[in-house]
Amino acid sequence: MQATESLIRSVVEQVLSEVGKIPPLKQGYDGRYGIFNDVDEAVSAATEAFEQLSRRPIADRKRAIEHIRRISIDQCVELGTMEMEETNIGRLEHKIEKLKVLGELTPGVEFLKSQVFSGDHGLCVIEHAPFGVIGAITPVTHSLPTITGNAVSMIAGGNTLVVNPHPSGKRVAVEGVRRFNKAIYQDLGIDNLICVIEEPTLDSANALFAHRGIAMICVTGGPAVARAALNSGKRAVVAGPGNPPVVVDETADLKNAARSIIRGASYDNNLLCISEKEVFVVEKVFDRMMDEMERAGAVRLNSREIDRLTQAAITQVGEGAHRHDVAAKELIGKDAAVLAEAAGRSVPKDTELLFGETDEFNPFVPVEQMMPFVPFVRVRDVDEAIEKAKYYEHGFRHTAIIHTTNVTNMTKMGRALDTTLFVKNGPCMSALGLGGEGYISFSIATPTGEGVTSPLTFTRERRCSLIDDLYILGK
Ligand code: NAD
């Protein structure tokens, strides 16, 4: 009798352990882990994955997202290092931190709160439904972090995605996507929730824009791709370029202003679209502000050094009337010490930020430089500061920052600049929940107006009305 019982137990245990090993039923593109060279194939695989996800409960979306979060957090050092080695721009510690915080703070399915109207005529429920397969274009400045944030938000909304990454960040994009899909497939049996084009080109981006199977596009990048998306004829969420100005008035806490500007403008060597790019300081506190910057650890360049750096760091593109200044690729995202060398100055290797006084016509003011040198412009008063900040923000309506304790000045600037993010008395990233309130995403939709993207950005409203019943408070 005893022998029979233990035999049964061991057979049951063996069967259970074998069941755990049974691979999920294979579908057409299973085992590709989201990696494709052909846009049509990628869209088909993402469509198949969308259909499977649509038949699953919301709890399964949450589980899929948990895998993305876990990998982003647990493997941030390995993947961040991979991104740094491939792109060769920015700072390793921040490449690592970006993956970790996106894993931790990107909002998930909890954002999908339904709205309800109830009354004499019954019940109306407004729910948030997916679009389907979303085409995503991602930048070199945050290749895998943007994919991570997009994937969490889009899958939370019930969508799947096909990503055309920046060619200079494609390897880490592919590796991250492979890891996310593999973990999700092994747990849930759905592969290809996130598809990526292994050899991305402008042609593959355009094929994605034009593809009938793509319900919506989300681009994160500079002016050219923002324009292309807006002209694509598809519903587009466009996270475009910025040139965030900072205003410092005579009432500001200058110590805090200096610390904040250094933290924001040096983060990942100023690659963030929200990073402080030029500073307007009122005459009355200008010299003190410059001293505070030095005290807080930034290195001040003199005008001759700034001229040399400008020669090296700013170049021109375009023809005829379209010719304009841009940041030189060779110096984008490089360390402050590298910029200093180009300026003819030697600074400690761990210097976070260079700065110096320029007039408003120095190209560092209008150009989105994406490197750790910030020009400081002396202005008469806060009105001139706000006027110039507005002019050099170029109407992107992206991000603006003020350091002041005068709420009237805050209000004036907020109204005048009309930006998506407006930060008072902190570094830029506090607007993304890092040291401030709110939540994070690395796709901040500016021209199309969705703001810091969330799962709701990637959903359609659907309304369900029941007439005259289920209003349980009525007669
Ligand atoms: P980029 O514009 O060079 O490239 C972005 C992506 O668009 C890449 O995948 C690139 O291959 C693709 N692309 C470029 N031109 C295209 C075109 N004509 N058609 C189709 N695809 C095209 O930008 P980048 O250097 O990778 O990233 C930096 C830029 O992105 C900055 O301007 C920055 O402000 C912006 N950005 C904005 C946000 C935001 O949330 N608003 C976030 C990150 C970066």
Side-chain angles (χ1 to χ4, degrees):
M1 180 70 180
Q2 276 229 327
T4 317
E5 214 178 277
S6 70
L7 185 67
I8 292 171
R9 185 169 297 126
S10 88
V11 170
V12 169
E13 275 168 8
Q14 195 183 342
V15 169
L16 285 177
S17 77
E18 289 300 321
V19 167
K21 283 183 204 153
I22 292 175
L25 206 61
K26 280 222 167 203
Q27 307 273 334
Y29 295 98
D30 281 11
R32 300 284 291 265
Y33 301 138
I35 300 163
F36 294 88
N37 238 327
D38 179 77
V39 170
D40 285 333
E41 265 199 328
V43 176
S44 299
T47 305
E48 204 176 272
F50 171 69
E51 281 159 8
Q52 292 175 63
L53 188 66
S54 304
R55 293 193 292 269
R56 298 292 188 93
I58 290 189
D60 282 4
R61 294 186 201 171
K62 193 161 183 275
R63 256 166 74 183
I65 289 167
E66 283 304 324
H67 287 293
I68 300 174
R69 292 192 196 283
R70 178 181 49 76
I71 290 167
S72 288
I73 297 166
D74 293 353
Q75 299 174 25
C76 63
V77 174
E78 189 191 346
L79 291 167
T81 306
M82 211 180 278
E83 174 135 1
M84 184 70 219
E85 282 170 359
E86 181 181 6
T87 61
N88 210 15
I89 54 174
R91 281 165 58 187
L92 178 60
E93 62 193 291
H94 299 141
K95 296 277 181 255
I96 293 169
E97 190 178 60
K98 288 192 297 186
L99 283 169
K100 184 164 175 287
V101 296
L102 279 157
E104 287 167 351
L105 298 179
T106 307
V109 294
E110 70 285 354
F111 247 58
L112 305 174
K113 295 224 163 45
S114 302
Q115 253 183 304
V116 176
F117 294 83
S118 68
D120 292 342
H121 296 297
L123 204 59
C124 160
V125 182
I126 299 172
E127 292 171 307
H128 304 287
F131 274 93
V133 181
I134 301 177
I137 309 281
T138 53
V140 65
T141 47
H142 336 283
S143 182
L144 187 55
T146 309
I147 296 175
T148 303
N150 281 174
V152 169
S153 297
M154 291 171 187
I155 293 170
N159 308 281
T160 58
L161 57 152
V162 178
V163 183
N164 200 67
H166 192 290
S168 304
K170 66 184 176 189
R171 285 203 304 274
V172 69
V174 165
E175 186 51 32
V177 165
R178 185 199 316 278
R179 293 181 189 196
F180 294 154
N181 281 312
K182 194 170 178 191
I184 295 167
Y185 182 51
Q186 281 171 348
D187 182 21
L188 292 172
I190 309 179
D191 195 4
N192 306 312
L193 288 182
I194 314 154
C195 295
V196 63
I197 305 299
E198 202 172 8
E199 293 297 338
T201 59
L202 283 187
D203 285 344
S204 59
N206 287 327
L208 208 53
F209 285 168
H211 204 290
R212 287 185 59 183
I214 294 290
M216 177 193 222
I217 53 179
C218 173
V219 310
T220 307
V225 71
R227 256 193 315 274
L230 291 168
N231 291 332
S232 70
K234 280 232 159 60
R235 166 88 159 84
V237 172
V238 178
N243 191 38
V246 184
V247 166
V248 182
D249 80 4
E250 64 277 15
T251 71
D253 173 345
L254 300 183
K255 245 191 197 42
N256 179 55
R259 274 200 310 265
S260 300
I261 292 169
I262 293 172
R263 171 137 172 77
S266 71
Y267 194 87
D268 211 15
N269 283 341
N270 204 324
L271 288 180
L272 299 184
C273 58
I274 59 171
S275 280
E276 292 80 352
K277 297 286 193 293
E278 65 278 347
V279 184
F280 301 96
V281 187
V282 299
E283 168 69 32
K284 198 168 169 194
V285 295
F286 188 89
D287 294 332
R288 274 172 45 215
M289 181 66 203
M290 299 301 263
D291 291 345
E292 287 296 351
M293 287 293 292
E294 283 188 288
R295 254 197 288 278
V299 171
R300 181 173 183 174
L301 300 185
N302 63 34
S303 60
R304 195 173 30 84
E305 290 163 345
I306 294 173
D307 285 348
R308 276 186 71 171
L309 178 60
T310 309
Q311 292 288 324
I314 306 288
T315 182
Q316 290 212 317
V317 294
E319 296 300 328
H322 298 292
R323 197 148 180 82
H324 62 281
D325 288 337
V326 292
K329 266 208 173 77
E330 309 76 57
L331 287 181
I332 287 179
K334 295 299 176 197
D335 287 348
V338 174
L339 301 189
E341 205 179 304
R345 172 92 171 260
S346 169
V347 302
K349 241 182 131 37
D350 59 355
T351 302
E352 288 184 295
L353 188 72
L354 308 178
F355 73 107
E357 180 171 1
T358 71
D359 62 22
E360 65 179 294
F361 305 109
N362 181 290
F364 270 105
V365 177
V367 169
E368 187 192 19
Q369 74 269 35
M370 294 186 281
M371 56 186 86
F373 168 79
V374 178
F376 277 59
V377 179
R378 198 185 285 262
V379 290
R380 196 175 52 248
D381 55 22
V382 76
D383 291 328
E384 188 185 358
I386 291 173
E387 187 192 315
K388 292 203 185 326
K390 182 176 171 64
Y391 183 77
Y392 290 108
E393 207 274 326
H394 304 303
F396 289 141
R397 296 201 292 181
H398 196 297
T399 299
I401 296 148
I402 189 168
H403 291 276
T404 179
T405 52
N406 179 328
V407 290
T408 308
N409 290 347
M410 291 178 190
T411 312
K412 254 193 225 173
M413 181 160 171
R415 285 189 183 151
L417 271 85
D418 196 16
T419 46
T420 306
L421 304 184
F422 180 38
V423 186
K424 278 84 66 186
N425 300 329
C428 61
M429 63 279 261
S430 50
L432 294 185
L434 303 173
E437 295 302 323
Y439 56 89
I440 200 169
S441 160
F442 268 18
S443 295
I444 301 158
T446 39
T448 48
E450 292 82 0
V452 182
T453 53
S454 77
L456 282 178
T457 309
F458 305 106
T459 59
R460 307 147 43 223
E461 274 193 9
R462 291 189 57 193
R463 182 181 287 214
C464 216
S465 297
L466 175 67
I467 315 306
D468 288 343
D469 261 324
L470 275 185
Y471 178 55
I472 57 174
L473 304 181
K475 290 188 251 152

